[in-house]
Amino acid sequence: MPRPLGELEDAVMTRVWKWNRPVTVREVLEDLQQERTIAYTTVMTVLDNLHQKGWVRREAEGRAYRYEAVSTRAAYAAALMNDAWSQSDNPAAALVAFFGMMSEEQRQALQDAVRIVQGPETRQAPEPAQARPAQAEQQENPGSAENPGSAEGAAGR
């Protein structure tokens, strides 16, 4: 999991992600200068650090470089969410709390994302396990009752 970006790293990466093309230090500098006073060498150092950390790749162009994002902002956000969630001692409770913080638009986006991930073939409700014939379960777990080393066999003793 990547470390969260620092404030200046995020400001630089926001431009790289937004422009979605190889950028120069000068382009990023000029855009950042609309919001703050910042030196060319500071932007160059931040982009070099982002390159060293694997956030951007660079290609030489004359005496300078053009920098391009290695992944998307969405992938970055997903990695941060996954890291935070995986650190919880109760992931289900963390999800419930997270869903409670979401706006209606965010919940709709989540439902849309779940539909996309599931794909058309999984949109039908799966058959409940208790509705399946016992023979099908026996075929899926052959020898479970006969195998004393299995969890089912041990539980039945």
Side-chain angles (χ1 to χ4, degrees), residues 15-146:
R15 282 143 180 90
V16 175
W17 281 319
K18 181 176 74 175
W19 296 334
N20 196 28
R21 61 174 172 75
V23 300
T24 64
V25 171
R26 177 76 50 207
E27 289 173 306
V28 175
L29 171 72
E30 289 172 359
D31 200 59
L32 282 171
Q33 285 179 330
Q34 295 177 24
E35 299 171 4
R36 65 177 86 192
T37 302
I38 190 166
Y40 180 93
T41 54
T42 302
V43 177
M44 183 174 63
T45 299
V46 170
L47 279 163
D48 185 59
N49 290 343
L50 289 167
H51 175 256
Q52 296 299 320
K53 293 177 180 181
W55 285 105
V56 294
R57 65 179 144 260
R58 67 186 182 192
E59 188 171 314
E61 183 176 278
R63 291 180 36 199
Y65 289 106
R66 283 204 173 264
Y67 296 87
E68 186 174 17
V70 170
S71 67
T72 64
R73 180 178 276 292
Y76 168 67
L80 290 177
M81 288 187 290
N82 185 58
D83 185 54
W85 184 47
S86 68
Q87 292 180 29
S88 173
D89 60 348
N90 187 339
L95 282 175
V96 169
F98 181 61
F99 296 156
M101 295 175 193
M102 292 177 140
S103 68
E104 184 56 40
E105 293 80 22
Q106 289 170 321
R107 281 193 286 278
Q108 185 60 52
L110 176 64
Q111 290 173 344
D112 293 345
V114 168
R115 280 198 268 321
I116 290 168
V117 169
Q118 288 178 336
E121 65 279 351
T122 59
R123 288 194 182 137
Q124 298 172 344
E127 185 180 331
Q130 62 268 34
R132 294 189 326 211
Q135 293 169 332
E137 189 162 322
Q138 190 65 23
Q139 289 173 349
E140 289 176 10
N141 302 309
S144 61
E146 298 87 17

